[in-house]
Amino acid sequence: LPNLELTLHNSIATATSMATTTANKDETISTIASSSSPVFISTETLCTILTHHTLMNHFQSTLPKASTILQTPIRQHHSLSPSSSLLLMPSWSSSSSLPYIGVKLVTHFPQNSSLNLPGVQGSYVLFSSTTGQTLASMDSTELTLYRTSCVSGLASKYLARHDSEVLVMVGAGSLAPHLIKAHLSAIPSLRKVIIWNRTVEKATTLANKLSQSGEFGGVRFEGCGCLDEVVGFGDIVSCATNSETP
């Protein structure tokens, strides 16, 4: 699959239009463009706009055409200190039918864990490629979780067996529940999710949370502490960890 970072501003344009009460998309974008103030889409609003199912369908239907009209430079990485960095990820459309520029700005401060703050934080800004005007901005953390998980879920639609029943989730961090939801949407035959984490309590906590949500009828969730014992059971194995070793 092409790098779906290229279509991020396309999905945000869709989200921006859906976030308003105006039914006509062109009228919505025109209204935003004529406004003197950019639209701010909160994380809470974003979560009411997007679902993993609809975002995967959006990617699936728009990627073939969008990938031919979008331009994106190599991601810029700037070291701010030996342990912290700034990432810049711009993308823009060369088509008048998609008149947008999108930039994701991300900071990586792993030492923030000692301050009880996220190690990765960021913002996404949408501009008009016709006037350069700022149209919308939002926290990019939740947006990235949706985008990344839906990339993986969409890949499973093409690469996994359609009768797959067991998903092994490696990692129990913030991305894990998104990956699980995306795969369950993409592969309806899944009936069991086994979550492994280096700290088994986190895996069990996530499994219990998903089970108690009642969102996934007929699906069993389990936490485990030994990956070697369960990885072989997985029809699909999804990894969400920064570890460079098995």
Side-chain angles (χ1 to χ4, degrees):
L1 290 174
N3 184 350
L4 292 189
E5 195 72 62
L6 297 179
T7 63
L8 195 53
H9 65 288
N10 189 13
S11 63
I12 295 309
T14 301
T16 301
S17 65
M18 292 173 65
T20 70
T21 58
T22 306
N24 184 283
K25 180 177 179 179
D26 292 336
E27 181 182 344
T28 300
I29 298 299
S30 177
T31 300
I32 293 173
S34 63
S35 171
S36 59
S37 300
V39 172
F40 174 73
I41 303 176
S42 68
T43 300
E44 292 75 16
T45 300
L46 190 68
C47 291
T48 65
I49 295 170
L50 296 177
T51 69
H52 299 87
H53 178 73
T54 56
L55 189 55
M56 279 190 292
N57 286 344
H58 174 72
F59 284 154
Q60 188 174 22
S61 63
T62 60
L63 263 181
K65 181 172 65 175
S67 60
T68 64
I69 62 174
L70 297 178
Q71 305 293 322
T72 186
I74 295 174
R75 181 176 70 177
Q76 297 180 42
H77 179 282
H78 302 281
S79 295
L80 305 177
S81 73
S83 61
S84 60
S85 57
L86 169 67
L87 304 176
L88 305 176
M89 289 159 273
S91 181
W92 61 87
S93 166
S94 59
S95 172
S96 58
S97 65
L98 191 66
Y100 305 112
I101 304 166
V103 184
K104 185 165 75 169
L105 306 98
V106 176
T107 58
H108 182 219
F109 281 68
Q111 67 274 19
N112 277 0
S113 57
S114 63
L115 303 174
N116 198 29
L117 292 172
V120 177
Q121 301 180 75
S123 295
Y124 184 89
V125 185
L126 183 73
F127 302 90
S128 164
S129 60
T130 303
T131 65
Q133 182 181 6
T134 305
L135 300 177
S137 65
M138 66 208 72
D139 173 64
S140 67
T141 303
E142 193 72 15
L143 183 68
T144 299
L145 295 175
Y146 271 97
R147 191 273 303 171
T148 303
S149 60
C150 287
V151 170
S152 182
L154 182 57
S156 284
K157 267 192 174 183
Y158 289 94
L159 302 176
R161 297 197 319 269
H162 288 182
D163 62 349
S164 298
E165 295 188 357
V166 180
L167 168 67
V168 173
M169 182 69 241
V170 181
S174 58
L175 182 56
H178 285 269
L179 282 165
I180 291 170
K181 292 176 183 180
H183 280 87
L184 289 175
S185 295
I187 310 294
S189 60
L190 287 171
R191 290 293 175 265
K192 185 176 182 180
V193 177
I194 304 173
I195 305 168
W196 173 87
N197 195 72
R198 183 175 57 184
T199 306
V200 67
E201 290 80 7
K202 290 185 177 180
T204 303
T205 297
L206 177 56
N208 291 338
K209 182 178 180 180
L210 291 170
S211 181
Q212 294 167 7
S213 71
E215 187 178 349
F216 311 100
V219 179
R220 290 183 295 140
F221 298 91
E222 298 178 3
C224 74
C226 183
L227 184 58
D228 289 340
E229 292 181 359
V230 299
V231 70
F233 296 127
D235 297 304
I236 302 171
V237 179
S238 181
C239 297
T241 170
N242 289 325
S243 176
E244 296 180 356
T245 57

